[in-house]
Amino acid sequence: MPTDPAALARRFGTPLYVHDLAAVTARTRALQAALPEPARLFYSFKANPLPAIAEATRHGGCQAEITSEGELAAAQQAGFDLREALYGGPGKTEAAIRTALAAGVRWFSCENWNDLERVAGLAAATGTSAQVLLRVNPAEAPAARLAMTGVESQFGFDEAELLAPEARARLQRPGLRVRGVHVYFGTQVADVAALVDNTRRTLALAAQLEATLGFVCAVVNAGGGFAWPYASADPEPDLTGLRPALESAWRDSPLSETAELWFESGRHLVAGAGTLVARVLAVKTSRSRRFILLDTGIHHLGGMAGLGRIPRARVDFQRLAEDASSRTPCPALPPADVVGPLCTPLDSLARGLALPELREGDLLAVPNVGAYGLTASLVGFLSHPPPLEVVHRDGEILSVWRWRSGHEQVCTPP
């Protein structure tokens, strides 16, 4: 069965997400090969919780990194061993922790004292033992497109907070076993040198906390931030030299004799596997501007940039011919604004973009949207139906999915 995006759009309609599992497998193997032996790699479900995508990373040797009951359910559906999963996030509710413990989760990344006490208390009350990583917000910021350390943040204990004299006593709680340290410096880390520097800093901080707090550090989760282009045709990042440099950093750490080294990744593993296919609904000229109106918009793509709250990434569009073999990149022509069907001027995917002459019914594709695509977007806004998601490998369609949305009445007034 043909699996080129144009053929799939004819069969399933648009907008349509197309996911290539062969790309997920290749990227997972490549990143595993770039990490030192015997590091463990976790798949971050926040990037894309689609069970078929997650399952491909599991077959590639990944464990599950989850942050919600929904992601936990997706991990179960994808066949992950939840005893090996890591449950994180700064705001875990009692209900979420109970659900995770009942499902077999034993590893938690805790980010503040309330979070830690809630996990420990519920573990003790249910007769289990939670193994905790202390997520730390180091004092220094990293070289990353979106820094998550070195600034005031809801993520992680401030480094100084855990190094304070009273911290050691606060960690002595029934049901709690502090097993390691977790640092996530940021996303889209610039290059190999920055990745290695972040890892070295994590290892040094973990060793310092082990000595200060008096626990045996069995795990150092150095996070990740492995880059990949988003919704653009930019080249993939070059990780040449990453493995030997990380191996050197790991050998230099005193923890290498007693601890495991963990990394996590979402975007890098699955972004390149996803393509969004959309159809042109209308081409409009308004005064001096040209508008390309699509059947997709910020409710399907654009994520948290959709309402302009964070900088918008550049979006590249590729015109799809009826025959995939004749697919051509867009030549440089007078610019156009690419907009979606929502009733707000904020529903804009690109402004001033060079596009060819387009007509109603033409197909456009956006590459590298297998991560932070549909489920990171405003899927509930204006109540449009979500697009189908087609999963294929080596020319064979394996499954077709649709994100569930809409309201369900759970009670009525007496």
Side-chain angles (χ1 to χ4, degrees):
M1 175 136 342
T3 54
D4 68 88
L8 293 175
R10 289 194 298 271
R11 180 179 179 191
F12 294 105
T14 59
L16 180 71
Y17 270 94
V18 180
H19 300 289
D20 181 0
L21 291 190
V24 176
T25 298
R27 190 52 45 205
T28 303
R29 289 174 177 169
L31 186 54
Q32 292 272 23
L35 299 178
E37 290 281 357
R40 297 174 68 182
L41 181 62
F42 286 70
Y43 173 60
S44 297
F45 270 68
K46 65 181 70 66
N48 191 334
L50 188 68
I53 293 282
E55 184 179 17
T57 70
R58 177 176 66 82
H59 288 309
C62 291
Q63 305 295 338
E65 188 265 314
I66 53 180
T67 59
S68 71
E69 293 170 89
E71 290 184 355
L72 185 148
Q76 288 176 309
Q77 191 171 357
F80 282 88
D81 182 356
L82 295 181
R83 294 171 300 179
E84 303 296 324
L86 178 63
Y87 199 113
K92 307 176 192 69
T93 64
E94 288 193 4
I97 296 167
R98 287 184 186 274
T99 299
L101 289 169
V105 175
R106 293 296 179 266
W107 288 93
F108 292 85
S109 176
C110 290
E111 310 210 21
N112 54 65
W113 293 114
N114 287 344
D115 189 27
L116 189 73
E117 291 164 5
R118 196 172 292 126
V119 169
L122 288 170
T126 55
T128 58
S129 178
Q131 303 189 87
V132 166
L133 305 184
L134 300 174
R135 180 167 176 180
V136 189
N137 176 10
E140 297 182 24
R145 186 173 300 176
L146 179 60
M148 297 178 69
T149 64
V151 295
E152 294 86 354
S153 173
Q154 72 267 42
F155 299 109
F157 292 88
D158 284 344
E159 177 182 337
E161 192 176 11
L162 290 177
L163 294 174
E166 63 273 15
R168 185 167 184 164
R170 296 188 71 175
L171 295 177
Q172 309 306 311
R173 295 184 57 88
L176 174 65
R177 296 177 64 198
V178 177
R179 300 296 309 282
V181 171
H182 178 194
V183 177
Y184 193 91
F185 278 98
T187 188
Q188 298 283 59
V189 175
D191 52 31
V192 166
L195 289 166
V196 175
D197 182 61
N198 290 348
T199 303
R200 285 189 176 276
R201 290 161 62 185
T202 300
L203 291 168
L205 179 57
Q208 184 182 14
L209 288 172
E210 180 187 58
T212 301
L213 297 174
F215 69 94
V216 176
C217 187
V219 170
V220 180
N221 185 342
F226 304 101
W228 196 270
Y230 175 72
S232 76
D234 289 344
E236 65 183 71
D238 183 6
L239 297 183
T240 301
L242 179 61
R243 179 166 183 159
L246 287 176
E247 287 176 338
S248 176
W250 183 230
R251 286 194 304 269
D252 291 344
S253 170
L255 297 177
S256 61
E257 298 297 323
T258 56
E260 292 183 0
L261 182 59
W262 293 3
F263 294 92
E264 57 197 63
S265 179
R267 181 194 312 271
H268 187 89
L269 300 182
V270 304
T275 300
L276 175 61
V277 183
R279 192 173 297 277
V280 176
L281 298 178
V283 179
K284 175 186 176 181
T285 300
S286 176
R287 301 181 184 178
S288 60
R289 299 184 72 87
R290 184 165 63 116
F291 291 88
I292 309 298
L293 177 63
L294 303 182
D295 59 2
T296 193
I298 59 174
H299 55 320
H300 301 154
L301 181 69
M304 291 163 281
L307 293 178
R309 297 297 185 260
I310 62 174
R312 185 185 305 275
R314 188 185 89 245
V315 177
D316 288 342
F317 292 89
Q318 183 180 54
R319 182 175 54 187
L320 299 184
E322 289 299 310
D323 178 3
S325 64
S326 62
R327 194 181 305 165
T328 57
C330 302
L333 288 177
D337 293 355
V338 182
V339 298
L342 304 184
C343 297
T344 169
L346 296 175
D347 188 15
S348 173
L349 295 177
R351 299 187 185 278
L353 196 65
L355 287 172
E357 188 66 31
L358 295 169
R359 298 174 297 176
E360 177 186 349
D362 284 347
L363 294 174
L364 294 178
V366 183
N368 288 312
V369 290
Y372 302 105
L374 180 62
T375 53
S377 298
L378 303 170
V379 290
F381 190 42
L382 265 71
S383 301
H384 282 265
L388 292 179
E389 297 183 81
V390 175
V391 175
H392 70 93
R393 182 193 292 273
D394 299 328
E396 178 184 2
I397 296 175
L398 301 179
S399 54
V400 181
W401 303 73
R402 188 190 295 278
W403 176 258
R404 292 176 296 180
S405 62
H407 288 88
E408 176 186 4
Q409 186 170 344
V410 296
C411 67
T412 56

